[in-house]
Amino acid sequence: PILHLFKDDYVTWGTDSEAIPLLKDNLFIYRLMALDFLTLQQLEHEYFDTVINLEKIPGICALMKKIEAWKKFGFRLDPRTGEVKPHDKAFEALVVSSDPEAKKQNQKTHQELLFEMLGEKWKGEEPILGYRPKSQEIFDVALNTQIGAKWPTKSWPLEFWDKTEELLQKEGFKVTRQDKQNPKILSDLYLYMEWVNSSKLIISNDSLGLHLGIVLKKKVLGLFGPTPHKEVYFYGRGKAMLPQPIPDCLPCFEPSCQKKDICMRDITPERVVNEVRELLTKN
């Protein structure tokens, strides 16, 4: 969404090569670059009016220091300690992202924090996606069942996905399910975006599919447990669902449950199906 602030500028955007499909063909990115060794060498010898670093990876923060620019925002590297430090307007964003207690108390969305890092105020601007999916909406509901191996506690139990699929189909909804697709869809970001776009509504763990659903203006039900739902803004097209009752430990940010239980089990398929019904009957 911060691209809205730079629509009249020549924007160079550097990112990991795997993320290129999310940014390719964006009308507001003049030059898109994968951050490999040669690209990093090139950027060190270029001059910019503004440099923004949203990464807290020390090597990327070190690059921030080497690039000449009139203004710099985001995160930098302290050359004396090797620690990641904020430029003045990014202090809150760094605290929220690195201090679990501050993250629990945070009431701001990602968008608010991003804009404040640049000294601006977020006014509801939406993310801008360059890719234009060709798929049509042929399903009512997409079940985005997969998560990365890094954070297994975010996962909704498999039997809950099964039950939700069964209940939705009994009510006559057309359902598509991520873990029943051709494996190519999960390894090709373009195909994955096409799959997300093929449904009116997506049910998802806190994962890439949830954010793509929001960007593609789908109705979205996000299932949240160990990660903070307040940072995610649904633009009036969806909502976050939490365990009921809400445990005192949430959000815990833990990759494994310290209480020998999985809070995600307290989001029932019946509740989810009720929310689907309500969202799909809304204009």
Side-chain angles (χ1 to χ4, degrees), residues 167-184:
L167 291 173
L168 289 170
Q169 289 176 337
K170 277 185 178 179
E171 293 197 22
F173 292 110
K174 291 187 68 177
V175 180
T176 179
R177 184 165 161 165
Q178 184 187 21
D179 55 355
K180 294 183 178 180
Q181 304 305 303
N182 187 311
K184 286 184 178 179

Side-chain angles (χ1 to χ4, degrees), residues 177-192:
R177 184 165 161 165
Q178 184 187 21
D179 55 355
K180 294 183 178 180
Q181 304 305 303
N182 187 311
K184 286 184 178 179
I185 288 179
L186 306 183
S187 59
D188 185 313
L189 203 43
Y190 292 113
L191 293 177
Y192 185 50

